[in-house]
Amino acid sequence: MTATHPARRGFLRSACGHCLGLGLAVGLPAFAQDLSAIQVPPRFKRPAADTDEGGLWGMMDREEARMKRSPLTIKDKELQAYLHDLVCKLSDGHCPDIRVLAVRTPHFNAMMAPNGLLLVWSGLLLRVENEAQLAAIVGHEMGHYLERHTVEQLRAAKDTAVVSTMVGMIGGVGTFLGQIGLAANLFAFSREHESRADRMGMRLMRFAGYDGQQAAVVWGNLLEEMKVTGGKDAGKTGDIFDTHPVTAGRRDELQQLAGTAGGEVGEERYRKAIAPLRFDWIQDEVKRGQFEESLVLFNRMLKKDPKDAEVLYARGEIHRLRDDGGDAARALADLESASRMDKAPAETFRSLGLVYQQRQDKPAAAQAFQGYLAKAPQAADAALVRGYLAELQ
């Protein structure tokens, strides 16, 4: 996304940047010590069809059916089961009413409709490091649902055009990225709404046994990505920076709200759940074209696991594509390191061949291209790579 709609700019100012403002007013340490004071409401009954809320539910149900047929929806059954189990663990009795869909789009975001549809984007799933961090984001969105904030905003808006836009936004992620500014009036939750959603989310994750401090880690990691783009420009990429502006204050406030009780993190369980799909999401991140943000992400991932061949390839590919200053040498170092690992993606060898080709090292380029074709003989670009080999020979 290259431009910011005027309504969207107002939305950015009024949305989650105010999170926890009310919590600070009443004293965060108290909430950190007594989350039991936050009550989860009983399950909702479906509203009558002839009410404003009932009409919204009906539209959302139709869009949900369409979303399930979308090619962007990730239909991996094991991932679906994992996300469903997480939501049930957090929901405190609301599990039968919540459906969760993972959507393949390389931005960090999640959102929840008032009829119980929860969308989680693959850019979020790539970035969170463990189950507790995912629970922090999902818990916040569930907080808006349990507090019925979207319904309150609907009644405040009294604008069917805005409602229709929001419904289209739920139904298709591609249109969502372009329409979020137009739906600002409906999703610009108040300071109180954001505070309540954060506190409810923390209550859900802590009572489910998760380490609440991981919520602050999520925002700290996102803050690092935001800084590299110059802060004010971070909201132009269509991700959670748009709807949940990241600040050091928000990170620190969540840390206070969490307290120091510790809890479950679930790193290995989370890594296992996303492993079959992770490399596709990594490639999507490279294609996103936000090289500086992506490098912050990949550097953080490699700090945790320096021998992650998929991420080494991705960082090398980022350097190759950016081709700025010493990027060629950095690309070569990462790609060569990845190529020596047993789990090196086939794409490593194709990129390595392109780097060697640019350096006029024909024997090394030919060997790398041959390695790519050996690993991926049926690749869509196999014929193109064979053409490269013919030219080299």
Side-chain angles (χ1 to χ4, degrees), residues 13 26 57 82 90 98 102 118 131 140 163 171 232 235 264 269 273 280 283 313 318 334 350 389:
R13 289 193 294 270
V26 298
W57 276 49
Y82 172 81
L90 290 169
I98 299 174
L118 172 64
E131 191 169 288
H140 176 88
V163 176
K232 65 179 181 179
E264 184 179 5
R269 185 166 59 248
D280 287 339
Q283 290 180 295
Y313 151 73
I318 289 285
D334 278 346
R350 179 188 60 198
L389 273 172

Short mmCIF file of all heavy atoms in Angstrom, two decimals, residues 13 26 57 82 90 98 102 118 131 140 163 171 232 235 264 269 273 280 283 313 318 334 350 389:
data_model
loop_
_atom_site.label_atom_id
_atom_site.label_comp_id
_atom_site.label_asym_id
_atom_site.label_seq_id
_atom_site.Cartn_x
_atom_site.Cartn_y
_atom_site.Cartn_z
N ARG A 13 -4.77 7.33 14.31
CA ARG A 13 -4.56 8.13 15.52
C ARG A 13 -5.45 7.67 16.67
O ARG A 13 -5.10 7.81 17.83
CB ARG A 13 -4.83 9.60 15.22
CG ARG A 13 -3.77 10.27 14.37
CD ARG A 13 -3.95 11.77 14.39
NE ARG A 13 -5.20 12.18 13.77
CZ ARG A 13 -5.32 12.46 12.48
NH1 ARG A 13 -4.28 12.35 11.67
NH2 ARG A 13 -6.48 12.82 11.98
N VAL A 26 -6.57 3.81 36.19
CA VAL A 26 -7.08 3.19 37.40
C VAL A 26 -5.99 2.42 38.14
O VAL A 26 -6.24 1.90 39.21
CB VAL A 26 -8.25 2.23 37.07
CG1 VAL A 26 -9.39 3.02 36.46
CG2 VAL A 26 -7.81 1.12 36.14
N TRP A 57 -24.93 -9.83 11.72
CA TRP A 57 -24.55 -11.24 11.83
C TRP A 57 -24.87 -11.98 10.53
O TRP A 57 -24.06 -12.79 10.06
CB TRP A 57 -25.31 -11.90 12.99
CG TRP A 57 -24.67 -11.70 14.33
CD1 TRP A 57 -24.24 -10.53 14.88
CD2 TRP A 57 -24.44 -12.72 15.32
NE1 TRP A 57 -23.76 -10.74 16.15
CE2 TRP A 57 -23.87 -12.08 16.44
CE3 TRP A 57 -24.67 -14.08 15.38
CZ2 TRP A 57 -23.51 -12.77 17.59
CZ3 TRP A 57 -24.33 -14.78 16.52
CH2 TRP A 57 -23.74 -14.13 17.62
N TYR A 82 -5.13 -26.88 15.29
CA TYR A 82 -4.27 -26.24 16.30
C TYR A 82 -4.85 -24.89 16.72
O TYR A 82 -4.95 -24.59 17.91
CB TYR A 82 -2.86 -26.07 15.74
CG TYR A 82 -1.96 -25.25 16.63
CD1 TYR A 82 -1.33 -25.83 17.73
CD2 TYR A 82 -1.73 -23.90 16.38
CE1 TYR A 82 -0.51 -25.08 18.57
CE2 TYR A 82 -0.92 -23.15 17.21
CZ TYR A 82 -0.31 -23.75 18.29
OH TYR A 82 0.49 -22.99 19.13
N LEU A 90 -8.50 -20.48 25.29
CA LEU A 90 -8.60 -19.09 25.75
C LEU A 90 -10.04 -18.66 26.03
O LEU A 90 -10.26 -17.73 26.81
CB LEU A 90 -8.03 -18.15 24.68
CG LEU A 90 -6.52 -18.17 24.44
CD1 LEU A 90 -6.19 -17.38 23.18
CD2 LEU A 90 -5.78 -17.58 25.64
N ILE A 98 -17.07 -19.77 18.20
CA ILE A 98 -15.96 -19.10 17.51
C ILE A 98 -15.39 -20.01 16.44
O ILE A 98 -15.10 -21.18 16.69
CB ILE A 98 -14.87 -18.70 18.52
CG1 ILE A 98 -15.42 -17.72 19.55
CG2 ILE A 98 -13.67 -18.07 17.80
CD1 ILE A 98 -14.46 -17.37 20.66
N ALA A 102 -7.24 -19.20 9.15
CA ALA A 102 -5.93 -18.64 8.83
C ALA A 102 -5.93 -18.20 7.38
O ALA A 102 -6.45 -18.91 6.50
CB ALA A 102 -4.82 -19.66 9.07
N LEU A 118 -12.99 -15.38 13.48
CA LEU A 118 -11.67 -14.84 13.78
C LEU A 118 -10.74 -15.14 12.62
O LEU A 118 -10.58 -16.30 12.22
CB LEU A 118 -11.12 -15.46 15.06
CG LEU A 118 -9.66 -15.15 15.43
CD1 LEU A 118 -9.48 -13.66 15.70
CD2 LEU A 118 -9.22 -15.96 16.64
N GLU A 131 3.54 -20.07 21.31
CA GLU A 131 2.09 -20.11 21.48
C GLU A 131 1.58 -19.00 22.38
O GLU A 131 0.49 -18.45 22.17
CB GLU A 131 1.69 -21.47 22.04
CG GLU A 131 0.20 -21.75 22.02
CD GLU A 131 -0.07 -23.21 22.34
OE1 GLU A 131 0.21 -24.07 21.48
OE2 GLU A 131 -0.56 -23.49 23.46
N HIS A 140 -6.46 -10.51 22.61
CA HIS A 140 -6.89 -9.12 22.45
C HIS A 140 -8.08 -9.02 21.50
O HIS A 140 -9.05 -8.31 21.78
CB HIS A 140 -5.73 -8.27 21.92
CG HIS A 140 -6.11 -6.85 21.63
ND1 HIS A 140 -6.07 -5.87 22.58
CD2 HIS A 140 -6.57 -6.26 20.50
CE1 HIS A 140 -6.49 -4.72 22.05
NE2 HIS A 140 -6.80 -4.94 20.78
N VAL A 163 -20.90 0.11 7.12
CA VAL A 163 -21.11 -1.28 7.48
C VAL A 163 -20.84 -2.19 6.29
O VAL A 163 -20.17 -3.21 6.41
CB VAL A 163 -22.55 -1.49 8.00
CG1 VAL A 163 -22.81 -2.97 8.27
CG2 VAL A 163 -22.78 -0.67 9.26
N GLY A 171 -14.74 -10.26 4.23
CA GLY A 171 -14.88 -11.33 3.26
C GLY A 171 -13.69 -11.54 2.37
O GLY A 171 -13.53 -12.62 1.82
N LYS A 232 6.91 6.80 11.45
CA LYS A 232 5.65 7.31 10.87
C LYS A 232 5.26 6.59 9.60
O LYS A 232 4.09 6.59 9.22
CB LYS A 232 5.78 8.81 10.59
CG LYS A 232 6.82 9.14 9.51
CD LYS A 232 6.88 10.64 9.25
CE LYS A 232 7.89 10.96 8.15
NZ LYS A 232 7.94 12.42 7.88
N GLY A 235 3.04 2.44 9.14
CA GLY A 235 1.65 2.11 8.92
C GLY A 235 1.24 2.04 7.47
O GLY A 235 0.06 1.96 7.17
N GLU A 264 3.11 -20.74 30.88
CA GLU A 264 3.48 -21.55 29.73
C GLU A 264 3.85 -20.67 28.54
O GLU A 264 3.26 -19.62 28.33
CB GLU A 264 2.29 -22.44 29.37
CG GLU A 264 2.56 -23.42 28.25
CD GLU A 264 1.35 -24.29 27.94
OE1 GLU A 264 0.28 -24.06 28.55
OE2 GLU A 264 1.49 -25.17 27.09
N ARG A 269 5.77 -26.58 20.66
CA ARG A 269 4.46 -26.96 20.14
C ARG A 269 4.05 -26.03 19.00
O ARG A 269 3.51 -26.47 17.98
CB ARG A 269 3.43 -26.90 21.28
CG ARG A 269 2.05 -27.38 20.89
CD ARG A 269 1.17 -27.63 22.12
NE ARG A 269 1.01 -26.44 22.93
CZ ARG A 269 1.52 -26.29 24.16
NH1 ARG A 269 2.24 -27.27 24.71
NH2 ARG A 269 1.31 -25.18 24.85
N ALA A 273 3.53 -26.85 14.89
CA ALA A 273 2.24 -26.59 14.24
C ALA A 273 2.40 -25.86 12.91
O ALA A 273 1.65 -26.11 11.96
CB ALA A 273 1.34 -25.80 15.18
N ASP A 280 6.64 -21.38 2.95
CA ASP A 280 5.79 -20.60 2.04
C ASP A 280 5.62 -19.18 2.57
O ASP A 280 5.65 -18.21 1.82
CB ASP A 280 4.43 -21.26 1.88
CG ASP A 280 4.48 -22.52 1.03
OD1 ASP A 280 5.45 -22.67 0.26
OD2 ASP A 280 3.56 -23.35 1.15
N GLN A 283 8.76 -17.14 2.09
CA GLN A 283 8.86 -16.66 0.71
C GLN A 283 7.91 -15.49 0.46
O GLN A 283 8.25 -14.54 -0.24
CB GLN A 283 8.57 -17.80 -0.27
CG GLN A 283 9.66 -18.86 -0.30
CD GLN A 283 9.34 -19.96 -1.28
OE1 GLN A 283 8.38 -20.70 -1.12
NE2 GLN A 283 10.14 -20.07 -2.32
N TYR A 313 18.53 -18.70 3.76
CA TYR A 313 18.22 -18.48 2.35
C TYR A 313 17.47 -17.17 2.17
O TYR A 313 17.79 -16.36 1.29
CB TYR A 313 17.39 -19.64 1.78
CG TYR A 313 16.50 -19.19 0.65
CD1 TYR A 313 17.03 -18.89 -0.60
CD2 TYR A 313 15.12 -18.99 0.86
CE1 TYR A 313 16.21 -18.44 -1.63
CE2 TYR A 313 14.31 -18.52 -0.16
CZ TYR A 313 14.86 -18.25 -1.40
OH TYR A 313 14.06 -17.78 -2.41
N ILE A 318 17.01 -11.60 0.29
CA ILE A 318 16.72 -10.18 0.52
C ILE A 318 17.91 -9.33 0.11
O ILE A 318 17.78 -8.31 -0.59
CB ILE A 318 16.37 -9.92 2.00
CG1 ILE A 318 15.01 -10.50 2.35
CG2 ILE A 318 16.42 -8.43 2.32
CD1 ILE A 318 13.83 -9.72 1.83
N ASP A 334 25.37 -15.78 3.02
CA ASP A 334 24.19 -16.47 3.56
C ASP A 334 23.79 -17.66 2.69
O ASP A 334 23.47 -18.74 3.19
CB ASP A 334 23.00 -15.50 3.65
CG ASP A 334 23.05 -14.63 4.90
OD1 ASP A 334 23.83 -14.94 5.82
OD2 ASP A 334 22.31 -13.63 4.95
N ARG A 350 19.20 -21.89 -6.68
CA ARG A 350 18.86 -20.99 -7.78
C ARG A 350 19.38 -19.59 -7.50
O ARG A 350 20.02 -18.97 -8.37
CB ARG A 350 17.34 -20.94 -7.96
CG ARG A 350 16.87 -20.01 -9.06
CD ARG A 350 15.37 -19.87 -9.05
NE ARG A 350 14.90 -19.33 -7.77
CZ ARG A 350 13.64 -19.43 -7.34
NH1 ARG A 350 12.73 -20.05 -8.07
NH2 ARG A 350 13.28 -18.90 -6.19
N LEU A 389 21.72 -22.42 -17.83
CA LEU A 389 22.82 -23.39 -17.94
C LEU A 389 23.35 -23.49 -19.36
O LEU A 389 24.57 -23.54 -19.57
CB LEU A 389 22.32 -24.77 -17.49
CG LEU A 389 22.39 -25.09 -16.00
CD1 LEU A 389 21.69 -26.41 -15.71
CD2 LEU A 389 23.84 -25.17 -15.56
#
